[in-house]
Amino acid sequence: DAGVIQSPRHEVTEMGQEVTLRCKPISGHDYLFWYRQTMMRGLELLIYFNNNVPIDDSGMPEDRFSAKMPNASFSTLKIQPSEPRDSAVYFCASSLRRGGWYEQYFGPGTRLTVT
Amino acid sequence: AQKVTQAQTEISVVEKEDVTLDCVYETRDTTYYLFWYKQPPSGELVFLIRRNSFDEQNEISGRYSWNFQKSTSSFNFTITASQVVDSAVYFCALSEGRISSGSARQLTFGSGTQLTVLP
């Protein structure tokens, strides 16, 4: 089975530009998570969805960040306008709730550089 | 509030040595889950193990073993006879137990330990 797919793997953009990161979760999984990894702050949860509905977006840093999940097989994380401090690796993860627990399976990440 | 501490930022060992990665956690919950993830140089996060707070049995999987001790709030990870391919950043993570319907258990990650295994 294919794992979580993220695109692009690398993105370099200039400050002020709009950036869109994409994620395809594992088929059948009902939770989708967006994380950001930086040297300073480590791994942070930004937002997660359950059955395509955003449940908790308290980790989204500011209004420049937005995330959508129009269907069960696709999600986007958008930054508009981008700033150099947004440079990080962004991970998408998905999981299936079975009984009391589930494991989160991570995608390969998108390395974003904002110059 | 939950917290995971991985005090070892970097560890270097020579191939075939045993190495233990420490993880200390803090939580007010009586039910919780602990995890280890591996992040190799390629960057992806690979799930290694999940333990719940009611199961303190140590676990062994090949060269990997995990020692969970509630008395010291620790969940340490040992690699026996390390290999160069074990070189990676290893993350310990914690999640609370009780959640409301529809919510997900959120992972709180430690800062990671960079393990380098030298040939």
Side-chain angles (χ1 to χ4, degrees):
Chain A
D1 286 341
V4 176
I5 298 172
Q6 291 187 247
S7 64
R9 293 294 308 276
H10 301 272
E11 177 81 34
V12 180
T13 191
E14 292 183 350
M15 183 173 64
Q17 297 297 308
E18 177 180 295
V19 175
T20 299
L21 311 181
R22 297 172 176 80
C23 174
K24 177 178 169 55
I26 294 173
S27 178
H29 281 193
D30 54 356
Y31 284 89
L32 184 139
F33 306 80
W34 281 101
Y35 289 87
R36 178 172 67 176
Q37 185 180 33
T38 61
M39 289 294 292
M40 291 295 292
R41 300 172 69 89
L43 272 158
E44 305 173 276
L45 176 66
L46 300 178
I47 184 172
Y48 75 89
F49 296 82
N50 176 220
N51 292 322
N52 314 337
V53 176
I55 302 299
D56 186 348
D57 65 354
S58 59
M60 296 285 261
E62 48 198 277
D63 292 345
R64 297 184 297 107
F65 286 70
S66 62
K68 294 182 180 179
M69 193 165 184
N71 57 62
S73 59
F74 184 66
S75 176
T76 59
L77 178 67
K78 186 176 292 187
I79 308 172
Q80 166 64 19
S82 58
E83 297 182 1
R85 59 192 168 121
D86 301 330
S87 297
V89 180
Y90 291 82
F91 287 100
C92 175
S94 72
S95 66
L96 174 66
R97 186 168 181 169
R98 273 182 285 226
W101 182 254
Y102 52 86
E103 279 81 46
Q104 293 186 25
Y105 294 89
F106 284 76
T110 295
R111 182 174 294 278
L112 173 65
T113 303
V114 183
T115 60
Chain B
Q2 298 181 117
K3 186 178 179 182
V4 176
T5 301
Q6 294 180 255
Q8 304 151 309
T9 306
E10 297 180 25
I11 300 177
S12 256
V13 298
V14 177
E15 205 169 21
K16 297 183 184 176
E17 287 184 355
D18 298 348
V19 59
T20 295
L21 310 182
D22 297 334
C23 173
V24 174
Y25 61 92
E26 295 175 29
T27 179
R28 294 178 184 172
D29 290 338
T30 55
T31 302
Y32 51 89
Y33 297 82
L34 295 161
F35 304 79
W36 277 94
Y37 281 84
K38 174 182 179 180
Q39 187 174 38
S42 50
E44 73 274 22
L45 278 159
V46 179
F47 167 79
L48 295 178
I49 190 172
R50 164 176 57 88
R51 303 294 285 177
N52 70 54
S53 52
F54 296 112
D55 185 0
E56 287 193 71
Q57 274 193 325
N58 291 333
E59 183 156 338
I60 298 175
S61 176
R63 295 183 298 106
Y64 294 172
S65 62
W66 290 270
N67 184 336
F68 176 28
Q69 293 195 341
K70 287 178 77 170
S71 60
T72 56
S73 297
S74 65
F75 185 43
N76 296 337
F77 173 30
T78 298
I79 301 175
T80 303
S82 60
Q83 300 176 359
V84 173
V85 293
D86 295 327
S87 297
V89 181
Y90 290 86
F91 291 94
C92 181
L94 167 71
S95 179
E96 74 273 16
R98 276 187 292 273
I99 56 172
S100 56
S101 174
S103 295
R105 293 190 176 93
Q106 299 181 27
L107 293 174
T108 298
F109 285 88
S111 55
T113 297
Q114 170 73 61
L115 173 65
T116 302
V117 182
L118 303 169

